[in-house]
Amino acid sequence: MKKRTGIFAIIIAILLLGVGYAAMSGQALHVNDAKATVKVDDSNFNVIFRNETTFSKTGAGEIEFVRTDDHNVTFTLTGFTKRGDTAVITLPFRNDSDTLQAVLENATVTNSDGNYFRVTAEPLAETVLGEKGQADEGANLVITVEAIKTPVENDVTTTITATLNANPKN
């Protein structure tokens, strides 16, 4: 009889465990309308020109820089005397963004006198800058200005404007 009671107790225990498992596994957890939002904030992304600008030249010539804001630089080039005189301007810039990388496009460069001066900029397209403080946070925009004609009557001056073009990358 004791044997039967023990077997009967084991069978009841197994049945209770099965029923308990079925009851527990049939429960569903519902979370309705839960949302998390990260907003775009333009102040998180900033690629800026640095103040250290250098230039080299062949022949005569003077250059005057005006940094109109962090993203635009204007300079006036005067004093070239003959065709072939050149100036190479190096404009350093950096990614000042704490949490975003920057993917560059070619800079926008304008020249006010295409009759006497040819202006070229080294391509920047697809250059990736690291976040602020990383070793790869900066690069240089290198612009070459060349006199393509020798003036014969009046001095000739050109004004060149450079604008950085970058997109954020996370």
Side-chain angles (χ1 to χ4, degrees), residues 37-115:
T37 302
V38 178
K39 293 184 177 184
V40 174
D41 183 353
D42 290 337
S43 68
N44 289 332
F45 183 67
N46 199 19
V47 177
I48 60 173
F49 280 113
R50 293 182 174 184
N51 287 325
E52 314 90 28
T53 300
T54 60
F55 83 100
S56 60
K57 62 183 177 163
T58 61
E62 295 299 322
I63 193 164
E64 180 183 332
F65 292 96
V66 177
R67 186 174 165 194
T68 53
D69 60 36
D70 287 342
H71 310 284
N72 301 286
V73 172
T74 300
F75 53 95
T76 303
L77 191 58
T78 59
F80 280 0
T81 59
K82 65 186 179 317
R83 181 182 68 223
D85 285 350
T86 61
V88 177
I89 299 94
T90 303
L91 302 160
F93 58 89
R94 70 181 168 106
N95 183 5
D96 200 35
S97 309
D98 291 323
T99 59
L100 293 169
Q101 295 178 335
V103 179
L104 300 175
E105 296 175 8
N106 289 329
T108 303
V109 179
T110 61
N111 171 17
S112 68
D113 189 342
N115 291 324

Side-chain angles (χ1 to χ4, degrees), residues 109-119 145 157-161:
V109 179
T110 61
N111 171 17
S112 68
D113 189 342
N115 291 324
Y116 280 89
F117 299 93
R118 178 181 356 209
V119 178
V145 181
T157 300
T158 190
T159 300
I160 297 149
T161 303

